[in-house]
Amino acid sequence: MVDTERVDINGTPIGVACGTCHGPSPSESWAGREGEDFHTGLQVVHGDLACESCHDAVDKTRLHLSDNTPVDMLDAMTLCAQCHGTQFRDYRRGSHGGMSGYWDTTRGPRERNHCVECHAPHAPAVPRVSPAPPPIDRGAHE
Amino acid sequence: MIDEDPTRRLALKAGGATLGAAAFARALAPLTEWKPTTSVDEFLQKHYKELDAAEMKEVLARLEQDTLEETGVSVSIADPRPLPGVRFAYALNLSICIGCRRCAEACHKENNHDRASHNSYIRVLEMEKGSLDLAKGNAHYTSPVPRKGKLYMPVQCHQCDNAPCVKVCPIEATWKEADGIVVVDYNWCIGCRYCEAACPYHARRFNWQKPEVPAEEINPDQAYLSNRLRPQGVMEKCTFCLHRTREGRFPACLEACPTGARVFGNVLDPQSEIRWVLENKRVFVLKEDVGTRPRFFYFFDE
Amino acid sequence: MTLPTEHVRTYPRFIWDALGIATDGKFPFYAWMTALTAVFLVGVNAWAHQTVDGLALTALSDHVSWGMYIGNFTFAVGLAAGAVMMVIPAYLYKDHAMHDVVIVGEILAIAAIVVSLAFVNVDLGRIDRAWHLMPVVGRFHWPVSMLTWDVLVLGGYLLINLHVVGYLLYTRFLGQTPNPRWYVPFVFLSIVWAVSIHTVTAFLYSGLGGRPFWNTALLAPRFIVSAFVSGPAFIVLALQVVRRLTKFHVGDAPISTLVKILRVTVIINLFLVFSEVFTEFYTGGSHTAAAQYLYFGLHGHDALVPWIWTAIVFNITSAALFLSSSTRTHLWRVDIGCGLALVGLWIEKGIGLIVPGFIPSTLHEVIEYLPNRLEWKVTLGIWALGLMVFTIGLKVAIAVFTGRMRAAEPPASPTVEA
């Protein structure tokens, strides 16, 4: 969904699904508007990728691999893995990507992050955060 | 004897001695507030390794009762033993650690650390890329992370296989368990701090005063050898959250890490993540030349 | 020989008379002991606060976790070991003049061990758990932990010296000749043992790979040599005081012998310091950061710099004074030299050794330490205690040696006056 920065009569923000314009039957009311204007705030900082590198040319709600095999939005990780093989391998092997639960999966479950939980697909670089407070040292006077 | 009037002399001396004794008692007056132990049982408590199952149960019940009386919080203190066929190891991915210190925060909360001193077993160093010289490290960074040209290195107890802290303890209050964790018996330690002098990694902490945690923030899932509320005057250290890991769960620092830079598990399991990292990544340890043989490894992805 | 049953009567008499002597004297003695008692009580009170509220009341931290107390402990063990510098000439080389005053060294050993044990105990986080250190009832990690060796050798040294001094004074008190079989073997044992107490104390520090400032083979030799400066220096001053204030005869010869020893040991000490300094500063690198910090400061932190340079100046000056003085004509120069040496070594071996071991920390961070007021109070209190033990020990010994303290009734069998 793209935020149009408009609100309806009840004050609810109006969003537009990608497929409204990029679907099989694009909506008349938005046709002709400048793509850039409309995708307010949508930065694409993901190497030299174009939209169609990942999104289906006609139905932007669908993704595809490089050989055009369709990929469901929920299975997007296989698409990330296509180019980021090493990171995906590390992810599968447990050295990339947060997790919680049990190291001993025979005793309990484990939850893994999805790639997009940290890496927004259009701007995947992890943003800077403020670190938690530094240590307080007895004996430090500065 | 030299003296003219021995009786007078003796009387004067007796008077002086009484005054002296009174002054001595007055000097010691602050000790009347001293309550290091709550009972004879606690004073006479044997070393952890000498307690049988029944005695251990009593000790745990007594400690839970003490905590309830002191803080009003009902906690459960367990004594989880090492899992058979398990030896823990921990690895840290320096390529993806962003230095957010959430691990240090999680440790602080999970282990019931003293709030005022914001104590934690984990210390994160902001280092210069291109150098592993700890002298260029800075533990007090505050600007948003990750900063360009920096790498972030959390340091905590490495549970060394050849731990100098275990060697030097005069009363075996600290020792290495079968699953590799180096533990401290807080009820046996006399606070000589020889282990703190011996540790090459700044991993050990001393309770310079009684640690205090507000009742509502106390983590009630505790273990005798790890995160129960510690008394004043004893040593403590990271225990790889044995109250969690000996039940198969991740340590708190790993769960808090947003990037997944931390890898933990049973190194004896050929299918484990930690095993894969140790076999496939270029891992190294800090101060390898000191010969401590740590169980905490660092690696880069590239 | 006195019958064993006689000792039941005479030994308590000995103790009672000793107590009497210990509390008897002229005004300067009372003033001295009262002042020491006052300082001691201030220290006791400070320690009581520290015990209740924790070592947080000191300036110590997780970065510098040993400081004033352990520094003073180290120096005091050296003083105790240094007493052996009198024992060797007196017993091994049959120096009779020294033999007459060797008891001063043995009493110093007792007082210094009491002081060192006090320092180690006030540094404990949980002194109420000290019983955990006892073999059998506790869990004694011997022989792996060097601290357990220290417990054994310090306790043993104290017992040896208590026995030797006690035996010699008691037999003299009874008007008998001491039987060599009962004390000479212990004296010879004490010579070896004196070296062991300070070697073990050095090994406490030198065996730690994570502390490069201490991790040097030179540490034990430095300890022994500086002990052989501080011990004799203290004894020379003590003998001078005894000479002036008591009826005990102290000849020129013992003092002269001690100064001859000092002339050698003070030079060797300076040489070892020089060797240490060269190795550190020529090598450079992060393992020598502690020496950098101590002598010149590190990243703007330089709290110890004035201390160490004072120690250096004092040690060099005392060496010059010992080497240039004639004990016959300029003994006062030797006195100043002894005082300077004692202060210089107290700094160099005390906080000038312990604190830089922690700065920079094992993660190469610089958090400084200087003792605070509470630590000074406890420290001075313990030294006051040591001086009281030394004073009383000397007073009783002198009373016995000069015949002032004698068993009232001679024992049942005929005796020969010593």
Side-chain angles (χ1 to χ4, degrees), chain A residues 25-58:
Chain A
S25 32
S27 157
E28 289 287 337
S29 56
W30 295 104
R33 295 283 162 97
E34 278 301 326
E36 283 300 322
D37 280 349
F38 181 72
H39 293 105
T40 46
L42 184 68
Q43 298 274 352
V44 180
V45 188
H46 196 157
D48 293 326
L49 295 181
C51 309
E52 284 76 24
S53 304
C54 300
H55 292 277
D56 184 69
V58 174

Tab-separated table of all heavy atoms in Angstrom, chain A residues 25-58:
chain	number	residue	atom	x	y	z
A	25	SER	N	-6.352	-4.349	-14.387
A	25	SER	CA	-7.198	-3.256	-14.893
A	25	SER	C	-6.934	-2.000	-14.086
A	25	SER	O	-7.541	-1.768	-13.050
A	25	SER	CB	-8.678	-3.641	-14.793
A	25	SER	OG	-8.882	-4.467	-13.674
A	26	PRO	N	-5.986	-1.219	-14.556
A	26	PRO	CA	-5.606	-0.029	-13.788
A	26	PRO	C	-6.789	0.939	-13.665
A	26	PRO	O	-7.609	1.069	-14.562
A	26	PRO	CB	-4.466	0.598	-14.591
A	26	PRO	CG	-4.407	-0.130	-15.874
A	26	PRO	CD	-5.198	-1.370	-15.793
A	27	SER	N	-6.784	1.596	-12.512
A	27	SER	CA	-7.882	2.510	-12.225
A	27	SER	C	-7.764	3.765	-13.081
A	27	SER	O	-6.683	4.287	-13.302
A	27	SER	CB	-7.838	2.886	-10.741
A	27	SER	OG	-8.503	4.106	-10.532
A	28	GLU	N	-8.889	4.249	-13.569
A	28	GLU	CA	-8.920	5.412	-14.447
A	28	GLU	C	-8.441	6.659	-13.742
A	28	GLU	O	-7.726	7.482	-14.284
A	28	GLU	CB	-10.356	5.638	-14.958
A	28	GLU	CG	-10.834	4.596	-15.967
A	28	GLU	CD	-10.150	4.801	-17.324
A	28	GLU	OE1	-9.681	5.938	-17.603
A	28	GLU	OE2	-10.082	3.829	-18.083
A	29	SER	N	-8.883	6.821	-12.485
A	29	SER	CA	-8.663	8.105	-11.810
A	29	SER	C	-7.175	8.398	-11.578
A	29	SER	O	-6.775	9.535	-11.431
A	29	SER	CB	-9.407	8.139	-10.478
A	29	SER	OG	-9.011	7.047	-9.697
A	30	TRP	N	-6.394	7.383	-11.534
A	30	TRP	CA	-4.965	7.644	-11.257
A	30	TRP	C	-4.128	7.580	-12.529
A	30	TRP	O	-2.951	7.938	-12.508
A	30	TRP	CB	-4.421	6.627	-10.259
A	30	TRP	CG	-5.091	6.762	-8.923
A	30	TRP	CD1	-6.045	5.954	-8.418
A	30	TRP	CD2	-4.884	7.803	-7.971
A	30	TRP	NE1	-6.463	6.407	-7.204
A	30	TRP	CE2	-5.761	7.558	-6.888
A	30	TRP	CE3	-4.064	8.943	-7.920
A	30	TRP	CZ2	-5.821	8.369	-5.778
A	30	TRP	CZ3	-4.133	9.748	-6.802
A	30	TRP	CH2	-5.006	9.466	-5.742
A	31	ALA	N	-4.740	7.122	-13.577
A	31	ALA	CA	-3.940	6.950	-14.795
A	31	ALA	C	-3.421	8.297	-15.253
A	31	ALA	O	-4.112	9.315	-15.193
A	31	ALA	CB	-4.791	6.309	-15.881
A	32	GLY	N	-2.223	8.320	-15.723
A	32	GLY	CA	-1.653	9.542	-16.273
A	32	GLY	C	-0.863	10.349	-15.256
A	32	GLY	O	-0.089	11.225	-15.626
A	33	ARG	N	-1.071	10.076	-13.958
A	33	ARG	CA	-0.295	10.851	-12.977
A	33	ARG	C	1.170	10.453	-13.059
A	33	ARG	O	1.511	9.342	-13.386
A	33	ARG	CB	-0.776	10.538	-11.548
A	33	ARG	CG	-2.176	10.962	-11.270
A	33	ARG	CD	-2.233	12.463	-11.034
A	33	ARG	NE	-3.638	12.883	-11.189
A	33	ARG	CZ	-4.471	13.054	-10.186
A	33	ARG	NH1	-4.049	12.904	-8.954
A	33	ARG	NH2	-5.717	13.376	-10.392
A	34	GLU	N	1.984	11.360	-12.746
A	34	GLU	CA	3.418	11.081	-12.731
A	34	GLU	C	3.731	9.986	-11.695
A	34	GLU	O	3.330	10.078	-10.545
A	34	GLU	CB	4.199	12.347	-12.356
A	34	GLU	CG	4.417	13.299	-13.520
A	34	GLU	CD	5.190	12.624	-14.644
A	34	GLU	OE1	6.058	11.766	-14.338
A	34	GLU	OE2	4.911	12.940	-15.799
A	35	GLY	N	4.443	8.976	-12.118
A	35	GLY	CA	4.797	7.883	-11.182
A	35	GLY	C	5.567	8.381	-9.987
A	35	GLY	O	5.323	7.992	-8.857
A	36	GLU	N	6.496	9.282	-10.249
A	36	GLU	CA	7.345	9.779	-9.154
A	36	GLU	C	6.510	10.485	-8.094
A	36	GLU	O	6.663	10.251	-6.916
A	36	GLU	CB	8.395	10.764	-9.698
A	36	GLU	CG	9.556	10.090	-10.412
A	36	GLU	CD	10.325	9.134	-9.511
A	36	GLU	OE1	10.511	9.461	-8.298
A	36	GLU	OE2	10.723	8.066	-9.965
A	37	ASP	N	5.599	11.386	-8.563
A	37	ASP	CA	4.791	12.141	-7.609
A	37	ASP	C	3.990	11.215	-6.726
A	37	ASP	O	3.824	11.464	-5.544
A	37	ASP	CB	3.778	13.047	-8.341
A	37	ASP	CG	4.444	14.299	-8.813
A	37	ASP	OD1	5.593	14.525	-8.395
A	37	ASP	OD2	3.816	15.040	-9.581
A	38	PHE	N	3.445	10.182	-7.417
A	38	PHE	CA	2.519	9.346	-6.687
A	38	PHE	C	3.225	8.523	-5.617
A	38	PHE	O	2.754	8.381	-4.503
A	38	PHE	CB	1.771	8.406	-7.649
A	38	PHE	CG	0.799	7.570	-6.889
A	38	PHE	CD1	-0.359	8.135	-6.366
A	38	PHE	CD2	1.063	6.234	-6.633
A	38	PHE	CE1	-1.244	7.380	-5.630
A	38	PHE	CE2	0.159	5.480	-5.902
A	38	PHE	CZ	-0.997	6.046	-5.409
A	39	HIS	N	4.385	7.963	-5.969
A	39	HIS	CA	5.082	7.092	-5.006
A	39	HIS	C	5.785	7.938	-3.950
A	39	HIS	O	7.007	7.892	-3.804
A	39	HIS	CB	6.094	6.213	-5.722
A	39	HIS	CG	5.455	5.221	-6.628
A	39	HIS	ND1	5.461	5.356	-7.988
A	39	HIS	CD2	4.764	4.100	-6.356
A	39	HIS	CE1	4.813	4.340	-8.514
A	39	HIS	NE2	4.362	3.577	-7.569
A	40	THR	N	4.930	8.739	-3.257
A	40	THR	CA	5.531	9.667	-2.284
A	40	THR	C	6.338	8.892	-1.243
A	40	THR	O	5.858	7.947	-0.621
A	40	THR	CB	4.445	10.457	-1.541
A	40	THR	OG1	3.436	9.532	-1.141
A	40	THR	CG2	3.869	11.520	-2.420
A	41	GLY	N	7.576	9.308	-1.040
A	41	GLY	CA	8.400	8.698	0.000
A	41	GLY	C	8.945	7.344	-0.352
A	41	GLY	O	9.670	6.760	0.434
A	42	LEU	N	8.605	6.833	-1.535
A	42	LEU	CA	9.096	5.494	-1.842
A	42	LEU	C	10.474	5.632	-2.477
A	42	LEU	O	10.620	5.899	-3.649
A	42	LEU	CB	8.139	4.767	-2.791
A	42	LEU	CG	8.542	3.321	-3.076
A	42	LEU	CD1	8.404	2.466	-1.827
A	42	LEU	CD2	7.659	2.736	-4.184
A	43	GLN	N	11.489	5.475	-1.655
A	43	GLN	CA	12.872	5.501	-2.128
A	43	GLN	C	13.232	4.100	-2.564
A	43	GLN	O	12.914	3.142	-1.870
A	43	GLN	CB	13.797	5.907	-0.977
A	43	GLN	CG	13.532	7.279	-0.433
A	43	GLN	CD	14.283	8.328	-1.224
A	43	GLN	OE1	15.105	7.987	-2.067
A	43	GLN	NE2	13.965	9.579	-0.982
A	44	VAL	N	13.863	3.990	-3.710
A	44	VAL	CA	14.385	2.671	-4.057
A	44	VAL	C	15.903	2.788	-4.069
A	44	VAL	O	16.493	3.363	-4.981
A	44	VAL	CB	13.853	2.189	-5.419
A	44	VAL	CG1	14.436	0.813	-5.722
A	44	VAL	CG2	12.335	2.119	-5.381
A	45	VAL	N	16.509	2.305	-3.016
A	45	VAL	CA	17.978	2.317	-2.928
A	45	VAL	C	18.398	0.869	-2.791
A	45	VAL	O	18.676	0.377	-1.717
A	45	VAL	CB	18.446	3.115	-1.687
A	45	VAL	CG1	19.956	3.291	-1.704
A	45	VAL	CG2	17.743	4.460	-1.633
A	46	HIS	N	18.378	0.185	-3.892
A	46	HIS	CA	18.665	-1.253	-3.843
A	46	HIS	C	19.523	-1.609	-5.032
A	46	HIS	O	19.059	-2.210	-5.999
A	46	HIS	CB	17.338	-2.041	-3.856
A	46	HIS	CG	17.508	-3.478	-3.436
A	46	HIS	ND1	16.470	-4.210	-2.928
A	46	HIS	CD2	18.587	-4.300	-3.434
A	46	HIS	CE1	16.896	-5.433	-2.635
A	46	HIS	NE2	18.169	-5.508	-2.936
A	47	GLY	N	20.791	-1.166	-4.972
A	47	GLY	CA	21.691	-1.420	-6.094
A	47	GLY	C	21.161	-0.731	-7.340
A	47	GLY	O	20.624	0.370	-7.298
A	48	ASP	N	21.285	-1.440	-8.482
A	48	ASP	CA	20.812	-0.869	-9.746
A	48	ASP	C	19.503	-1.487	-10.171
A	48	ASP	O	19.195	-1.556	-11.364
A	48	ASP	CB	21.872	-1.130	-10.840
A	48	ASP	CG	23.133	-0.340	-10.556
A	48	ASP	OD1	22.997	0.781	-10.026
A	48	ASP	OD2	24.239	-0.841	-10.847
A	49	LEU	N	18.733	-1.942	-9.173
A	49	LEU	CA	17.511	-2.663	-9.523
A	49	LEU	C	16.429	-1.734	-10.052
A	49	LEU	O	16.261	-0.619	-9.574
A	49	LEU	CB	16.975	-3.408	-8.293
A	49	LEU	CG	17.867	-4.518	-7.755
A	49	LEU	CD1	17.213	-5.176	-6.557
A	49	LEU	CD2	18.128	-5.561	-8.834
A	50	ALA	N	15.703	-2.231	-11.058
A	50	ALA	CA	14.479	-1.557	-11.508
A	50	ALA	C	13.313	-2.271	-10.843
A	50	ALA	O	13.466	-3.362	-10.310
A	50	ALA	CB	14.367	-1.656	-13.021
A	51	CYS	N	12.125	-1.662	-10.931
A	51	CYS	CA	10.958	-2.280	-10.287
A	51	CYS	C	10.750	-3.692	-10.810
A	51	CYS	O	10.457	-4.622	-10.054
A	51	CYS	CB	9.693	-1.450	-10.570
A	51	CYS	SG	9.883	0.288	-10.188
A	52	GLU	N	10.921	-3.852	-12.157
A	52	GLU	CA	10.600	-5.142	-12.769
A	52	GLU	C	11.649	-6.204	-12.476
A	52	GLU	O	11.460	-7.362	-12.849
A	52	GLU	CB	10.452	-5.008	-14.275
A	52	GLU	CG	9.129	-4.368	-14.715
A	52	GLU	CD	9.154	-2.872	-14.484
A	52	GLU	OE1	10.269	-2.315	-14.448
A	52	GLU	OE2	8.079	-2.284	-14.315
A	53	SER	N	12.761	-5.806	-11.824
A	53	SER	CA	13.743	-6.824	-11.448
A	53	SER	C	13.107	-7.833	-10.508
A	53	SER	O	13.437	-9.011	-10.545
A	53	SER	CB	14.940	-6.189	-10.739
A	53	SER	OG	15.521	-5.188	-11.535
A	54	CYS	N	12.210	-7.343	-9.662
A	54	CYS	CA	11.584	-8.241	-8.688
A	54	CYS	C	10.082	-8.340	-8.916
A	54	CYS	O	9.498	-9.406	-8.767
A	54	CYS	CB	11.820	-7.736	-7.260
A	54	CYS	SG	13.557	-7.621	-6.836
A	55	HIS	N	9.465	-7.219	-9.259
A	55	HIS	CA	8.009	-7.213	-9.414
A	55	HIS	C	7.626	-7.636	-10.816
A	55	HIS	O	8.297	-7.302	-11.795
A	55	HIS	CB	7.448	-5.800	-9.152
A	55	HIS	CG	7.572	-5.358	-7.719
A	55	HIS	ND1	6.648	-5.709	-6.745
A	55	HIS	CD2	8.509	-4.592	-7.104
A	55	HIS	CE1	7.012	-5.165	-5.595
A	55	HIS	NE2	8.145	-4.472	-5.772
A	56	ASP	N	6.477	-8.344	-10.900
A	56	ASP	CA	5.913	-8.677	-12.202
A	56	ASP	C	5.574	-7.379	-12.926
A	56	ASP	O	5.076	-6.439	-12.329
A	56	ASP	CB	4.656	-9.535	-11.961
A	56	ASP	CG	4.074	-10.008	-13.265
A	56	ASP	OD1	4.725	-10.845	-13.911
A	56	ASP	OD2	2.990	-9.511	-13.622
A	57	ALA	N	5.855	-7.336	-14.264
A	57	ALA	CA	5.676	-6.081	-15.024
A	57	ALA	C	4.234	-5.619	-15.014
A	57	ALA	O	3.943	-4.417	-14.992
A	57	ALA	CB	6.162	-6.278	-16.457
A	58	VAL	N	3.322	-6.577	-15.031
A	58	VAL	CA	1.890	-6.210	-15.140
A	58	VAL	C	1.293	-6.101	-13.728
A	58	VAL	O	0.709	-5.091	-13.361
A	58	VAL	CB	1.129	-7.268	-15.964
A	58	VAL	CG1	-0.349	-6.977	-15.964
A	58	VAL	CG2	1.712	-7.297	-17.384
